[in-house]
Amino acid sequence: CRQLFRSPSMPSSVIRPILKRIDRPQDRDTPVKAKRRRSVAGTPSKEAAVEPVAWLLRSRSFSHEEIDNLLANDHQDLIGDFSKAYLLQTVEGKHQDLKYISPEMMVAVLTGQFSSLIESCVIVDCRYPYEYEGGHIKGAVNLPMEQDVEEFLLKKPIVPFDASKRVIVIFHCEFSSERGPRMCRFVREKDRACNEYPHLHYPELYVLKGGYREFFPQYQTHCEPQDYRPMHHKDFKEDLRKFRLKSR
């Protein structure tokens, strides 16, 4: 019979085990299997051992992007000492780690719209003196160098008489692109160094978006003199060179 059904191209030694595997039932309960089951009675099977792993996989895991977003949003609306939320409405700016306000919000502060909540607002003009003298926001103090701002703000910190009110500091330069943001970070760094975390002398710092260049055309009446002198003014090249050397 095997000769009748065997393929001519396949040796008889090969066809014999194949036929045996086909004919033997796969789920037959053999004495060997029964003995094996008895010998492992009470021992968890492989399927049982895998089951807790499958349950863990069903729990939700955050992706790297979601974790980064959560970390980025942590305390993003609280001031530096985490005691309360930022008072002024902020806008997006060049540096994501800083809080920017619009020129409109600056005017709201200047006109006293937040006087019931703010006791003192320090406007730090980080431009060079010849820029400041050519036109600046009323009430702003000119602190172009790090030692200047450290002397003015940190040597004798400004403390509100009314503890329920705030002291806020707003930094700006010509475009609020480099000098203003850099000075804002410097103050926060020095403030952290001389206080026990998370306490700060100035927990609420802002940067004026667009700087004086964007503020002046819209609100000239809030500037004195009502003029704008750019950093690269042709008549002050030597002053620019001198102050750049000092700031290095």
Side-chain angles (χ1 to χ4, degrees), residues 143-162:
L143 304 173
M145 302 296 162
E146 290 180 349
Q147 58 267 31
D148 297 330
V149 76
E150 191 170 5
E151 178 80 15
F152 186 89
L153 290 177
L154 297 172
K155 189 172 183 179
K156 189 177 180 181
I158 301 170
V159 180
F161 292 104
D162 185 346

Side-chain angles (χ1 to χ4, degrees), residues 150 153-157 186-202:
E150 191 170 5
L153 290 177
L154 297 172
K155 189 172 183 179
K156 189 177 180 181
F186 173 79
V187 169
R188 175 54 53 83
E189 179 184 350
K190 289 294 182 181
D191 203 353
R192 285 278 187 222
C194 61
N195 282 289
E196 184 177 350
Y197 186 87
H199 181 71
L200 291 165
H201 294 306
Y202 304 103

Side-chain angles (χ1 to χ4, degrees), residues 198-211:
H199 181 71
L200 291 165
H201 294 306
Y202 304 103
E204 196 159 356
L205 307 180
Y206 299 94
V207 176
L208 173 63
K209 185 176 182 181

Side-chain angles (χ1 to χ4, degrees), residues 11 18-19 23 39 44 56 81 85 94 112 133 148-149 171 220 223 227:
I18 294 176
L19 290 173
D23 294 338
S39 66
L56 288 173
D81 60 3
K94 178 180 178 180
E133 292 163 4
D148 297 330
V149 76
F171 298 83
Q220 294 185 27
C223 302
D227 202 355

Side-chain angles (χ1 to χ4, degrees), residues 106-153:
M106 172 70 92
V107 170
V109 174
L110 292 172
T111 54
Q113 295 183 34
F114 296 94
S115 58
S116 62
L117 300 170
I118 297 175
E119 183 171 300
S120 178
C121 172
V122 182
I123 303 171
V124 178
D125 189 331
C126 303
R127 296 176 300 158
Y128 301 134
Y130 67 89
E131 298 174 83
Y132 177 86
E133 292 163 4
H136 59 268
I137 299 172
K138 290 180 180 179
V141 290
N142 187 212
L143 304 173
M145 302 296 162
E146 290 180 349
Q147 58 267 31
D148 297 330
V149 76
E150 191 170 5
E151 178 80 15
F152 186 89
L153 290 177

Side-chain angles (χ1 to χ4, degrees), residues 27-228:
D27 298 324
R28 185 176 177 183
D29 193 5
T30 64
V32 175
K33 286 187 177 180
K35 182 178 180 180
R36 187 175 299 162
R37 281 201 303 273
R38 287 194 299 271
S39 66
V40 296
T43 303
S45 64
K46 289 185 178 180
E47 289 77 12
V50 172
E51 188 173 349
V53 177
W55 178 81
L56 288 173
L57 290 174
R58 286 197 297 270
S59 64
R60 186 175 184 275
S61 297
F62 288 103
S63 67
H64 289 296
E65 183 178 356
E66 288 173 314
I67 292 172
D68 289 341
N69 289 336
L70 287 172
L71 292 174
N73 292 331
D74 188 30
H75 299 313
Q76 72 167 357
D77 293 321
L78 298 181
I79 60 177
D81 60 3
F82 313 129
S83 62
K84 56 180 74 72
Y86 279 90
L87 175 63
L88 305 183
Q89 182 179 359
T90 58
V91 294
E92 289 187 7
K94 178 180 178 180
H95 304 279
Q96 297 300 312
D97 60 314
L98 303 178
K99 294 294 182 181
Y100 287 80
I101 62 169
S102 65
E104 293 79 8
M105 186 58 60
M106 172 70 92
V107 170
V109 174
L110 292 172
T111 54
Q113 295 183 34
F114 296 94
S115 58
S116 62
L117 300 170
I118 297 175
E119 183 171 300
S120 178
C121 172
V122 182
I123 303 171
V124 178
D125 189 331
C126 303
R127 296 176 300 158
Y128 301 134
Y130 67 89
E131 298 174 83
Y132 177 86
E133 292 163 4
H136 59 268
I137 299 172
K138 290 180 180 179
V141 290
N142 187 212
L143 304 173
M145 302 296 162
E146 290 180 349
Q147 58 267 31
D148 297 330
V149 76
E150 191 170 5
E151 178 80 15
F152 186 89
L153 290 177
L154 297 172
K155 189 172 183 179
K156 189 177 180 181
I158 301 170
V159 180
F161 292 104
D162 185 346
S164 66
K165 291 189 175 183
R166 311 183 186 212
V167 173
I168 68 172
V169 185
I170 304 173
F171 298 83
H172 80 86
C173 53
E174 185 175 4
F175 301 101
S176 287
S177 177
E178 298 299 333
R179 290 177 289 175
R182 183 171 61 246
M183 195 69 78
C184 182
R185 291 195 186 100
F186 173 79
V187 169
R188 175 54 53 83
E189 179 184 350
K190 289 294 182 181
D191 203 353
R192 285 278 187 222
C194 61
N195 282 289
E196 184 177 350
Y197 186 87
H199 181 71
L200 291 165
H201 294 306
Y202 304 103
E204 196 159 356
L205 307 180
Y206 299 94
V207 176
L208 173 63
K209 185 176 182 181
Y212 190 76
R213 176 66 182 84
E214 188 171 322
F215 184 88
F216 173 74
Q218 303 177 63
Y219 303 104
Q220 294 185 27
T221 56
H222 290 281
C223 302
E224 57 181 10
Q226 293 184 19
D227 202 355
Y228 166 39

